[in-house]
mmCIF file of all heavy atoms in Angstrom:
data_model
loop_
_atom_site.group_PDB
_atom_site.id
_atom_site.type_symbol
_atom_site.label_atom_id
_atom_site.label_comp_id
_atom_site.label_asym_id
_atom_site.label_seq_id
_atom_site.Cartn_x
_atom_site.Cartn_y
_atom_site.Cartn_z
ATOM 1 N N ALA A 1557 14.857 13.224 17.435
ATOM 2 C CA ALA A 1557 13.872 12.324 16.689
ATOM 3 C C ALA A 1557 12.563 12.413 17.361
ATOM 4 O O ALA A 1557 11.571 12.122 16.732
ATOM 5 C CB ALA A 1557 14.445 10.942 16.821
ATOM 6 N N ASP A 1558 12.536 12.743 18.648
ATOM 7 C CA ASP A 1558 11.182 12.749 19.358
ATOM 8 C C ASP A 1558 10.632 14.104 19.295
ATOM 9 O O ASP A 1558 11.170 15.118 19.910
ATOM 10 C CB ASP A 1558 11.512 12.337 20.875
ATOM 11 C CG ASP A 1558 10.231 12.267 21.659
ATOM 12 O OD1 ASP A 1558 9.152 12.622 21.159
ATOM 13 O OD2 ASP A 1558 10.298 11.782 22.808
ATOM 14 N N TYR A 1559 9.493 14.290 18.625
ATOM 15 C CA TYR A 1559 8.972 15.580 18.447
ATOM 16 C C TYR A 1559 8.457 16.221 19.760
ATOM 17 O O TYR A 1559 8.398 17.427 19.871
ATOM 18 C CB TYR A 1559 7.779 15.618 17.429
ATOM 19 C CG TYR A 1559 6.545 14.827 17.817
ATOM 20 C CD1 TYR A 1559 5.422 15.384 18.470
ATOM 21 C CD2 TYR A 1559 6.583 13.375 17.621
ATOM 22 C CE1 TYR A 1559 4.345 14.676 18.831
ATOM 23 C CE2 TYR A 1559 5.312 12.644 17.967
ATOM 24 C CZ TYR A 1559 4.288 13.316 18.548
ATOM 25 O OH TYR A 1559 3.146 12.625 18.906
ATOM 26 N N LYS A 1560 8.247 15.366 20.716
ATOM 27 C CA LYS A 1560 7.795 15.899 22.036
ATOM 28 C C LYS A 1560 8.932 16.592 22.765
ATOM 29 O O LYS A 1560 8.667 17.333 23.718
ATOM 30 C CB LYS A 1560 7.077 14.749 22.834
ATOM 31 C CG LYS A 1560 5.744 14.418 22.308
ATOM 32 C CD LYS A 1560 5.029 13.353 23.095
ATOM 33 C CE LYS A 1560 5.369 11.964 22.429
ATOM 34 N NZ LYS A 1560 4.621 10.882 23.126
ATOM 35 N N GLU A 1561 10.123 16.193 22.388
ATOM 36 C CA GLU A 1561 11.270 16.771 23.036
ATOM 37 C C GLU A 1561 11.812 17.904 22.199
ATOM 38 O O GLU A 1561 12.848 18.583 22.641
ATOM 39 C CB GLU A 1561 12.427 15.661 23.215
ATOM 40 C CG GLU A 1561 11.952 14.455 24.128
ATOM 41 C CD GLU A 1561 11.766 14.974 25.633
ATOM 42 O OE1 GLU A 1561 12.454 15.843 26.006
ATOM 43 O OE2 GLU A 1561 10.669 14.545 26.187
ATOM 44 N N ALA A 1562 11.347 18.125 21.013
ATOM 45 C CA ALA A 1562 11.934 18.989 20.067
ATOM 46 C C ALA A 1562 12.152 20.416 20.640
ATOM 47 O O ALA A 1562 13.036 21.180 20.240
ATOM 48 C CB ALA A 1562 11.207 19.084 18.769
ATOM 49 N N LEU A 1563 11.186 20.895 21.434
ATOM 50 C CA LEU A 1563 11.206 22.268 21.905
ATOM 51 C C LEU A 1563 11.985 22.396 23.315
ATOM 52 O O LEU A 1563 12.029 23.531 23.842
ATOM 53 C CB LEU A 1563 9.738 22.784 22.027
ATOM 54 C CG LEU A 1563 9.000 22.931 20.749
ATOM 55 C CD1 LEU A 1563 7.637 23.448 20.983
ATOM 56 C CD2 LEU A 1563 9.725 23.874 19.819
ATOM 57 N N ASN A 1575 13.623 24.924 16.791
ATOM 58 C CA ASN A 1575 12.735 23.860 16.268
ATOM 59 C C ASN A 1575 11.301 24.152 16.129
ATOM 60 O O ASN A 1575 10.469 23.226 15.900
ATOM 61 C CB ASN A 1575 12.971 22.601 17.133
ATOM 62 C CG ASN A 1575 14.433 22.024 16.952
ATOM 63 O OD1 ASN A 1575 15.093 22.347 15.933
ATOM 64 N ND2 ASN A 1575 14.871 21.277 17.870
ATOM 65 N N LEU A 1576 10.936 25.357 16.470
ATOM 66 C CA LEU A 1576 9.529 25.675 16.381
ATOM 67 C C LEU A 1576 9.232 26.018 14.863
ATOM 68 O O LEU A 1576 9.682 26.999 14.374
ATOM 69 C CB LEU A 1576 9.172 26.831 17.206
ATOM 70 C CG LEU A 1576 7.605 27.222 17.284
ATOM 71 C CD1 LEU A 1576 6.834 26.057 17.909
ATOM 72 C CD2 LEU A 1576 7.431 28.474 18.141
ATOM 73 N N ALA A 1577 8.415 25.254 14.189
ATOM 74 C CA ALA A 1577 8.192 25.443 12.770
ATOM 75 C C ALA A 1577 6.975 26.370 12.621
ATOM 76 O O ALA A 1577 6.860 26.991 11.596
ATOM 77 C CB ALA A 1577 7.890 24.133 12.161
ATOM 78 N N GLY A 1578 6.035 26.428 13.619
ATOM 79 C CA GLY A 1578 4.993 27.264 13.469
ATOM 80 C C GLY A 1578 3.976 27.098 14.595
ATOM 81 O O GLY A 1578 4.067 26.067 15.299
ATOM 82 N N MET A 1579 3.030 28.096 14.843
ATOM 83 C CA MET A 1579 2.130 27.908 15.881
ATOM 84 C C MET A 1579 0.759 28.411 15.304
ATOM 85 O O MET A 1579 0.707 29.202 14.392
ATOM 86 C CB MET A 1579 2.449 28.849 17.088
ATOM 87 C CG MET A 1579 3.645 28.309 17.760
ATOM 88 S SD MET A 1579 3.964 28.796 19.446
ATOM 89 C CE MET A 1579 2.874 30.012 19.869
ATOM 90 N N TYR A 1602 -4.313 12.123 23.621
ATOM 91 C CA TYR A 1602 -4.392 11.140 22.593
ATOM 92 C C TYR A 1602 -3.024 11.142 21.771
ATOM 93 O O TYR A 1602 -2.511 12.309 21.488
ATOM 94 C CB TYR A 1602 -5.555 11.319 21.654
ATOM 95 C CG TYR A 1602 -6.869 11.353 22.407
ATOM 96 C CD1 TYR A 1602 -7.407 12.429 22.911
ATOM 97 C CD2 TYR A 1602 -7.620 10.168 22.558
ATOM 98 C CE1 TYR A 1602 -8.631 12.532 23.597
ATOM 99 C CE2 TYR A 1602 -8.870 10.181 23.187
ATOM 100 C CZ TYR A 1602 -9.341 11.385 23.753
ATOM 101 O OH TYR A 1602 -10.543 11.439 24.413
ATOM 102 N N THR A 1604 -1.372 9.790 17.930
ATOM 103 C CA THR A 1604 -1.480 8.989 16.659
ATOM 104 C C THR A 1604 -0.085 8.898 16.085
ATOM 105 O O THR A 1604 0.836 9.783 16.361
ATOM 106 C CB THR A 1604 -2.395 9.715 15.603
ATOM 107 O OG1 THR A 1604 -1.946 11.109 15.584
ATOM 108 C CG2 THR A 1604 -3.774 9.709 16.158
ATOM 109 N N PRO A 1605 0.152 7.846 15.402
ATOM 110 C CA PRO A 1605 1.501 7.570 14.819
ATOM 111 C C PRO A 1605 1.848 8.322 13.532
ATOM 112 O O PRO A 1605 0.956 8.839 12.901
ATOM 113 C CB PRO A 1605 1.457 6.088 14.523
ATOM 114 C CG PRO A 1605 0.034 5.834 14.127
ATOM 115 C CD PRO A 1605 -0.796 6.826 14.906
ATOM 116 N N CYS A 1606 2.983 8.289 13.184
ATOM 117 C CA CYS A 1606 3.398 8.736 11.809
ATOM 118 C C CYS A 1606 3.062 7.606 10.870
ATOM 119 O O CYS A 1606 3.525 6.547 11.063
ATOM 120 C CB CYS A 1606 4.978 9.069 11.790
ATOM 121 S SG CYS A 1606 5.498 9.552 10.191
ATOM 122 N N ASN A 1703 4.959 11.920 4.727
ATOM 123 C CA ASN A 1703 4.251 11.137 5.739
ATOM 124 C C ASN A 1703 3.145 12.014 6.381
ATOM 125 O O ASN A 1703 3.042 13.206 6.212
ATOM 126 C CB ASN A 1703 5.293 10.804 6.793
ATOM 127 C CG ASN A 1703 5.967 11.917 7.475
ATOM 128 O OD1 ASN A 1703 5.292 12.681 8.145
ATOM 129 N ND2 ASN A 1703 7.164 12.131 7.179
ATOM 130 N N ARG A 1704 2.312 11.200 7.028
ATOM 131 C CA ARG A 1704 1.333 11.937 7.864
ATOM 132 C C ARG A 1704 1.949 12.059 9.279
ATOM 133 O O ARG A 1704 2.287 10.948 9.865
ATOM 134 C CB ARG A 1704 0.050 11.015 8.024
ATOM 135 C CG ARG A 1704 -1.077 11.714 8.917
ATOM 136 C CD ARG A 1704 -2.199 10.710 9.301
ATOM 137 N NE ARG A 1704 -2.892 10.124 8.232
ATOM 138 C CZ ARG A 1704 -3.806 10.755 7.497
ATOM 139 N NH1 ARG A 1704 -4.055 12.024 7.761
ATOM 140 N NH2 ARG A 1704 -4.397 10.158 6.558
ATOM 141 N N PRO A 1705 2.259 13.269 9.725
ATOM 142 C CA PRO A 1705 2.997 13.348 10.958
ATOM 143 C C PRO A 1705 2.285 12.773 12.154
ATOM 144 O O PRO A 1705 1.022 12.783 12.209
ATOM 145 C CB PRO A 1705 3.141 14.900 11.092
ATOM 146 C CG PRO A 1705 2.103 15.500 10.224
ATOM 147 C CD PRO A 1705 1.813 14.572 9.150
ATOM 148 N N ALA A 1706 3.059 12.317 13.058
ATOM 149 C CA ALA A 1706 2.542 11.911 14.328
ATOM 150 C C ALA A 1706 1.945 13.098 15.122
ATOM 151 O O ALA A 1706 2.400 14.207 14.891
ATOM 152 C CB ALA A 1706 3.636 11.232 15.180
ATOM 153 N N ASN A 1707 0.995 12.877 15.928
ATOM 154 C CA ASN A 1707 0.434 14.058 16.706
ATOM 155 C C ASN A 1707 0.186 13.534 18.150
ATOM 156 O O ASN A 1707 -0.200 12.420 18.372
ATOM 157 C CB ASN A 1707 -0.821 14.495 16.100
ATOM 158 C CG ASN A 1707 -0.568 15.287 14.830
ATOM 159 O OD1 ASN A 1707 -0.974 14.809 13.676
ATOM 160 N ND2 ASN A 1707 0.104 16.429 14.959
ATOM 161 N N THR A 1708 0.395 14.495 19.043
ATOM 162 C CA THR A 1708 -0.082 14.296 20.429
ATOM 163 C C THR A 1708 -1.115 15.427 20.714
ATOM 164 O O THR A 1708 -0.871 16.566 20.353
ATOM 165 C CB THR A 1708 1.090 14.406 21.430
ATOM 166 O OG1 THR A 1708 2.028 13.372 21.126
ATOM 167 C CG2 THR A 1708 0.557 14.332 22.854
ATOM 168 N N MET A 1709 -2.216 15.071 21.158
ATOM 169 C CA MET A 1709 -3.376 15.907 21.302
ATOM 170 C C MET A 1709 -3.951 15.816 22.708
ATOM 171 O O MET A 1709 -4.264 14.726 23.181
ATOM 172 C CB MET A 1709 -4.501 15.602 20.249
ATOM 173 C CG MET A 1709 -3.948 15.587 18.874
ATOM 174 S SD MET A 1709 -5.105 14.692 17.666
ATOM 175 C CE MET A 1709 -4.565 12.965 18.009
ATOM 176 N N PHE A 1726 -8.427 22.338 23.035
ATOM 177 C CA PHE A 1726 -7.551 21.329 22.248
ATOM 178 C C PHE A 1726 -6.127 21.904 22.150
ATOM 179 O O PHE A 1726 -5.978 23.039 21.765
ATOM 180 C CB PHE A 1726 -8.222 21.216 20.900
ATOM 181 C CG PHE A 1726 -7.581 20.197 19.996
ATOM 182 C CD1 PHE A 1726 -7.791 18.811 20.275
ATOM 183 C CD2 PHE A 1726 -6.768 20.531 18.914
ATOM 184 C CE1 PHE A 1726 -7.241 17.840 19.444
ATOM 185 C CE2 PHE A 1726 -6.197 19.612 18.167
ATOM 186 C CZ PHE A 1726 -6.384 18.286 18.324
ATOM 187 N N GLU A 1727 -5.258 21.014 22.456
ATOM 188 C CA GLU A 1727 -3.853 21.410 22.220
ATOM 189 C C GLU A 1727 -3.207 20.294 21.494
ATOM 190 O O GLU A 1727 -3.514 19.057 21.657
ATOM 191 C CB GLU A 1727 -3.122 21.600 23.573
ATOM 192 C CG GLU A 1727 -3.309 22.927 24.217
ATOM 193 C CD GLU A 1727 -2.700 23.001 25.567
ATOM 194 O OE1 GLU A 1727 -1.779 22.140 25.805
ATOM 195 O OE2 GLU A 1727 -3.053 23.845 26.353
ATOM 196 N N CYS A 1728 -2.263 20.654 20.546
ATOM 197 C CA CYS A 1728 -1.727 19.634 19.657
ATOM 198 C C CYS A 1728 -0.272 20.032 19.369
ATOM 199 O O CYS A 1728 0.115 21.193 19.246
ATOM 200 C CB CYS A 1728 -2.565 19.641 18.440
ATOM 201 S SG CYS A 1728 -1.768 18.729 17.103
ATOM 202 N N ILE A 1729 0.503 18.985 19.357
ATOM 203 C CA ILE A 1729 1.874 19.197 18.862
ATOM 204 C C ILE A 1729 2.165 18.112 17.850
ATOM 205 O O ILE A 1729 1.715 16.965 17.894
ATOM 206 C CB ILE A 1729 2.902 19.096 20.044
ATOM 207 C CG1 ILE A 1729 4.387 19.471 19.449
ATOM 208 C CG2 ILE A 1729 2.937 17.855 20.788
ATOM 209 C CD1 ILE A 1729 5.402 19.680 20.577
ATOM 210 N N GLY A 1730 2.973 18.441 16.827
ATOM 211 C CA GLY A 1730 3.313 17.396 15.719
ATOM 212 C C GLY A 1730 4.517 17.963 14.983
ATOM 213 O O GLY A 1730 4.758 19.121 14.989
ATOM 214 N N PRO A 1731 5.216 17.027 14.358
ATOM 215 C CA PRO A 1731 6.414 17.425 13.640
ATOM 216 C C PRO A 1731 6.219 17.605 12.104
ATOM 217 O O PRO A 1731 5.717 16.672 11.435
ATOM 218 C CB PRO A 1731 7.379 16.274 13.838
ATOM 219 C CG PRO A 1731 6.407 15.042 14.050
ATOM 220 C CD PRO A 1731 5.121 15.591 14.511
ATOM 221 N N SER A 1732 6.664 18.702 11.633
ATOM 222 C CA SER A 1732 6.779 18.856 10.121
ATOM 223 C C SER A 1732 7.747 17.962 9.539
ATOM 224 O O SER A 1732 7.747 17.554 8.457
ATOM 225 C CB SER A 1732 7.161 20.245 9.868
ATOM 226 O OG SER A 1732 6.136 21.025 9.317
ATOM 227 N N GLY A 1733 8.740 17.549 10.495
ATOM 228 C CA GLY A 1733 9.917 16.873 9.905
ATOM 229 C C GLY A 1733 11.053 17.818 9.889
ATOM 230 O O GLY A 1733 11.201 18.835 10.638
ATOM 231 N N ALA A 1734 12.028 17.607 8.906
ATOM 232 C CA ALA A 1734 13.175 18.475 8.865
ATOM 233 C C ALA A 1734 12.886 19.877 8.237
ATOM 234 O O ALA A 1734 13.616 20.824 8.389
ATOM 235 C CB ALA A 1734 14.230 17.842 8.046
ATOM 236 N N TYR A 1735 11.811 19.968 7.440
ATOM 237 C CA TYR A 1735 11.383 21.232 6.800
ATOM 238 C C TYR A 1735 9.949 21.410 6.918
ATOM 239 O O TYR A 1735 9.158 20.515 7.247
ATOM 240 C CB TYR A 1735 11.841 21.166 5.361
ATOM 241 C CG TYR A 1735 13.340 21.128 5.134
ATOM 242 C CD1 TYR A 1735 14.045 19.887 4.838
ATOM 243 C CD2 TYR A 1735 14.119 22.222 5.180
ATOM 244 C CE1 TYR A 1735 15.391 19.835 4.780
ATOM 245 C CE2 TYR A 1735 15.509 22.210 5.084
ATOM 246 C CZ TYR A 1735 16.131 21.009 4.850
ATOM 247 O OH TYR A 1735 17.443 20.983 4.708
ATOM 248 N N PRO A 1736 9.470 22.621 6.625
ATOM 249 C CA PRO A 1736 8.035 22.918 6.842
ATOM 250 C C PRO A 1736 7.155 21.919 6.018
ATOM 251 O O PRO A 1736 7.381 21.850 4.795
ATOM 252 C CB PRO A 1736 7.854 24.315 6.339
ATOM 253 C CG PRO A 1736 9.225 24.981 6.419
ATOM 254 C CD PRO A 1736 10.215 23.849 6.234
ATOM 255 N N GLY A 1737 6.295 21.194 6.748
ATOM 256 C CA GLY A 1737 5.493 20.224 5.998
ATOM 257 C C GLY A 1737 4.055 20.091 6.627
ATOM 258 O O GLY A 1737 3.238 19.312 6.128
ATOM 259 N N GLY A 1738 3.746 21.007 7.519
ATOM 260 C CA GLY A 1738 2.465 20.999 8.084
ATOM 261 C C GLY A 1738 2.276 19.882 9.231
ATOM 262 O O GLY A 1738 1.437 18.994 9.090
ATOM 263 N N GLY A 1739 3.093 19.976 10.189
ATOM 264 C CA GLY A 1739 3.051 18.978 11.356
ATOM 265 C C GLY A 1739 1.782 18.914 12.083
ATOM 266 O O GLY A 1739 1.544 17.866 12.656
ATOM 267 N N THR A 1740 1.098 20.082 12.103
ATOM 268 C CA THR A 1740 -0.167 20.034 12.871
ATOM 269 C C THR A 1740 -1.338 20.545 12.000
ATOM 270 O O THR A 1740 -2.407 20.845 12.468
ATOM 271 C CB THR A 1740 -0.105 20.920 14.134
ATOM 272 O OG1 THR A 1740 0.356 22.130 13.734
ATOM 273 C CG2 THR A 1740 0.823 20.292 15.122
ATOM 274 N N ALA A 1741 -1.056 20.691 10.688
ATOM 275 C CA ALA A 1741 -2.107 21.223 9.821
ATOM 276 C C ALA A 1741 -3.419 20.573 9.966
ATOM 277 O O ALA A 1741 -3.552 19.276 9.750
ATOM 278 C CB ALA A 1741 -1.601 21.228 8.372
ATOM 279 N N VAL A 1743 -5.240 19.507 12.121
ATOM 280 C CA VAL A 1743 -5.541 18.476 13.195
ATOM 281 C C VAL A 1743 -6.715 19.004 14.070
ATOM 282 O O VAL A 1743 -7.503 18.107 14.559
ATOM 283 C CB VAL A 1743 -4.288 18.195 14.046
ATOM 284 C CG1 VAL A 1743 -4.568 17.294 15.191
ATOM 285 C CG2 VAL A 1743 -3.170 17.612 13.192
ATOM 286 N N ARG A 1759 -4.997 25.174 20.149
ATOM 287 C CA ARG A 1759 -3.616 25.706 19.984
ATOM 288 C C ARG A 1759 -2.787 24.571 19.472
ATOM 289 O O ARG A 1759 -2.942 23.389 19.881
ATOM 290 C CB ARG A 1759 -3.030 26.103 21.370
ATOM 291 C CG ARG A 1759 -3.710 27.347 21.903
ATOM 292 C CD ARG A 1759 -3.192 27.657 23.322
ATOM 293 N NE ARG A 1759 -3.667 28.947 23.692
ATOM 294 C CZ ARG A 1759 -3.558 29.419 24.920
ATOM 295 N NH1 ARG A 1759 -2.826 28.751 25.771
ATOM 296 N NH2 ARG A 1759 -3.929 30.615 25.277
ATOM 297 N N SER A 1760 -1.943 24.889 18.477
ATOM 298 C CA SER A 1760 -1.037 23.814 18.040
ATOM 299 C C SER A 1760 0.400 24.370 17.784
ATOM 300 O O SER A 1760 0.582 25.496 17.507
ATOM 301 C CB SER A 1760 -1.633 23.214 16.682
ATOM 302 O OG SER A 1760 -1.716 24.247 15.783
ATOM 303 N N LYS A 1761 1.292 23.367 17.980
ATOM 304 C CA LYS A 1761 2.679 23.705 17.802
ATOM 305 C C LYS A 1761 3.256 22.715 16.761
ATOM 306 O O LYS A 1761 3.241 21.486 16.986
ATOM 307 C CB LYS A 1761 3.418 23.686 19.106
ATOM 308 C CG LYS A 1761 3.297 24.880 19.945
ATOM 309 C CD LYS A 1761 4.172 24.676 21.192
ATOM 310 C CE LYS A 1761 3.777 25.869 22.063
ATOM 311 N NZ LYS A 1761 4.235 25.592 23.504
ATOM 312 N N ASP A 1762 3.812 23.278 15.725
ATOM 313 C CA ASP A 1762 4.471 22.473 14.667
ATOM 314 C C ASP A 1762 5.983 22.516 14.885
ATOM 315 O O ASP A 1762 6.509 23.640 14.992
ATOM 316 C CB ASP A 1762 4.027 23.045 13.258
ATOM 317 C CG ASP A 1762 4.594 22.220 12.136
ATOM 318 O OD1 ASP A 1762 5.345 21.294 12.366
ATOM 319 O OD2 ASP A 1762 4.253 22.628 10.967
ATOM 320 N N VAL A 1763 6.672 21.384 14.955
ATOM 321 C CA VAL A 1763 8.081 21.425 15.303
ATOM 322 C C VAL A 1763 8.834 20.770 14.250
ATOM 323 O O VAL A 1763 8.433 19.918 13.440
ATOM 324 C CB VAL A 1763 8.351 20.767 16.676
ATOM 325 C CG1 VAL A 1763 7.575 21.470 17.781
ATOM 326 C CG2 VAL A 1763 7.992 19.271 16.674
ATOM 327 N N TYR A 1764 10.173 21.073 14.260
ATOM 328 C CA TYR A 1764 11.142 20.393 13.398
ATOM 329 C C TYR A 1764 11.780 19.257 14.073
ATOM 330 O O TYR A 1764 12.071 19.324 15.286
ATOM 331 C CB TYR A 1764 12.189 21.310 12.934
ATOM 332 C CG TYR A 1764 11.811 22.407 12.064
ATOM 333 C CD1 TYR A 1764 11.939 23.766 12.394
ATOM 334 C CD2 TYR A 1764 11.256 22.197 10.876
ATOM 335 C CE1 TYR A 1764 11.591 24.816 11.528
ATOM 336 C CE2 TYR A 1764 10.857 23.149 9.980
ATOM 337 C CZ TYR A 1764 11.023 24.489 10.314
ATOM 338 O OH TYR A 1764 10.638 25.581 9.481
ATOM 339 N N ILE A 1765 11.950 18.139 13.444
ATOM 340 C CA ILE A 1765 12.817 16.984 13.973
ATOM 341 C C ILE A 1765 13.693 16.548 12.772
ATOM 342 O O ILE A 1765 13.426 16.957 11.675
ATOM 343 C CB ILE A 1765 11.918 15.825 14.467
ATOM 344 C CG1 ILE A 1765 11.062 15.327 13.447
ATOM 345 C CG2 ILE A 1765 11.176 16.178 15.650
ATOM 346 C CD1 ILE A 1765 10.446 13.951 13.778
ATOM 347 N N ALA A 1770 6.958 16.078 6.337
ATOM 348 C CA ALA A 1770 5.637 15.590 6.073
ATOM 349 C C ALA A 1770 5.069 16.146 4.712
ATOM 350 O O ALA A 1770 5.589 17.131 4.265
ATOM 351 C CB ALA A 1770 4.791 16.123 7.180
ATOM 352 N N GLN A 1780 -6.349 12.152 12.694
ATOM 353 C CA GLN A 1780 -5.667 12.383 13.928
ATOM 354 C C GLN A 1780 -6.697 13.021 14.870
ATOM 355 O O GLN A 1780 -7.024 12.645 16.005
ATOM 356 C CB GLN A 1780 -4.450 13.241 13.884
ATOM 357 C CG GLN A 1780 -3.329 12.657 13.013
ATOM 358 C CD GLN A 1780 -3.256 13.297 11.552
ATOM 359 O OE1 GLN A 1780 -4.324 13.151 10.824
ATOM 360 N NE2 GLN A 1780 -2.204 13.931 11.182
ATOM 361 N N ARG A 2078 5.327 4.532 11.870
ATOM 362 C CA ARG A 2078 6.759 4.672 11.510
ATOM 363 C C ARG A 2078 7.502 4.567 12.804
ATOM 364 O O ARG A 2078 7.139 5.134 13.767
ATOM 365 C CB ARG A 2078 6.985 6.016 10.899
ATOM 366 C CG ARG A 2078 8.455 6.290 10.528
ATOM 367 C CD ARG A 2078 8.750 7.677 9.958
ATOM 368 N NE ARG A 2078 8.751 8.644 10.979
ATOM 369 C CZ ARG A 2078 8.935 9.969 10.624
ATOM 370 N NH1 ARG A 2078 9.116 10.355 9.485
ATOM 371 N NH2 ARG A 2078 8.953 10.841 11.661
#
Side-chain angles (χ1 to χ4, degrees):
Chain A
D1558 182 352
Y1559 66 93
K1560 286 179 268 185
E1561 297 297 320
L1563 295 179
N1575 293 341
L1576 186 64
M1579 292 201 348
Y1602 304 88
T1604 53
C1606 174
N1703 57 70
R1704 181 194 299 285
N1707 288 112
T1708 298
M1709 301 161 282
F1726 183 77
E1727 278 176 19
C1728 169
I1729 184 171
S1732 255
Y1735 294 97
T1740 51
V1743 175
R1759 289 175 173 174
S1760 56
K1761 280 182 186 163
D1762 182 358
V1763 301
Y1764 292 121
I1765 58 169
Q1780 299 99 300
R2078 178 181 78 178

